[in-house]
Amino acid sequence: MISLLYAHPYARHARLEQMMLNAVQHWPGLELRDLYQLYPDFYIDVALEQKMLAHSKAIVLHYPMQWGLPPALLVQYLHKVFQYGWAYGKAASGESVMSLQGKKFWLVTHAVAPQHELDPCYQQTMFTPLRQLALSCGMEWQHPLMLPELTDSTIATEAAELFRSGLEQLSAAITLD
């Protein structure tokens, strides 16, 4: 199973973003979790989310990026769900735990602001905290898919195809494991 954690604070108004999601929502083995729909009050059911992630072979974070940052709810989700004693570190008993070890971790995002966010050098530093999170949890970092700003349906259609292609590669990789 692939867990797709979608976090867009204005999803109802993101018409072009919806085109991308529609292209993959019926993907075999994909569990789409619209975080802003599930947790509009930012109160995250940590036990449920940890159980869902534990059964996944891959975790995909899909979100719009502004000024190099993911949306607030996604940051809250990562703080609460990927917690010490479950995702990494030691359990209360003192034994090491890494509940997400070996899972693939892939980011799919697009710029909603300056063009410099598409610069590869900028992206290398922009994704550093999430890459470190993945590595600390023993997950396999996958090269992020950074899409351009979704300004029209042609760009959104091309972005949806890139997303589908990336999911095909991810699905093939987890099938081989």
Side-chain angles (χ1 to χ4, degrees):
M1 178 173 83
I2 298 173
S3 293
L4 173 56
L5 306 175
Y6 174 65
H8 195 303
Y10 307 108
R12 281 183 261 158
H13 305 292
R15 180 180 54 83
L16 298 173
E17 184 75 26
Q18 289 302 316
M19 286 176 63
M20 285 188 61
L21 282 183
N22 290 340
V24 299
Q25 71 179 353
H26 299 295
W27 194 272
L30 182 76
E31 173 72 26
L32 174 60
R33 311 281 297 161
D34 184 341
L35 298 183
Y36 277 92
Q37 183 178 346
L38 292 169
Y39 305 114
D41 58 359
F42 280 54
Y43 185 76
I44 297 165
D45 185 340
V46 173
L48 174 68
E49 295 299 322
Q50 287 177 342
K51 181 179 178 183
M52 188 262 314
L53 293 178
H55 293 293
S56 298
K57 290 188 174 187
I59 299 167
V60 179
L61 304 184
H62 182 178
Y63 58 94
M65 178 158 316
Q66 189 166 17
W67 296 110
L69 299 170
L73 181 56
L74 181 56
V75 173
Q76 173 80 350
Y77 182 97
L78 295 172
H79 281 279
K80 295 291 186 181
V81 178
F82 288 62
Q83 61 187 241
Y84 182 87
W86 181 78
Y88 65 99
K90 297 193 181 292
S93 63
E95 63 187 76
S96 292
V97 292
M98 293 187 85
S99 299
L100 302 172
Q101 186 165 3
K103 297 179 187 310
K104 308 235 184 276
F105 190 73
W106 186 42
L107 306 179
V108 177
T109 187
H110 62 87
V112 294
Q115 185 67 23
H116 74 270
E117 288 187 351
L118 297 177
D119 181 298
C121 294
Y122 182 74
Q123 287 181 34
Q124 186 173 0
T125 58
M126 176 174 30
F127 294 125
T128 299
L130 291 171
R131 185 170 196 268
Q132 186 57 50
L133 170 79
L135 297 176
S136 294
C137 295
M139 294 186 286
E140 296 177 21
W141 176 258
Q142 308 298 298
H143 185 73
L145 176 57
M146 182 68 171
L147 301 166
E149 184 176 2
L150 303 178
T151 54
D152 61 47
S153 60
T154 302
I155 292 173
T157 301
E158 291 169 2
E161 188 51 43
L162 286 171
F163 190 23
R164 287 181 59 81
S165 176
L167 275 177
E168 284 176 6
Q169 291 174 13
L170 185 61
S171 295
I174 63 175
T175 302
L176 294 175
D177 287 346

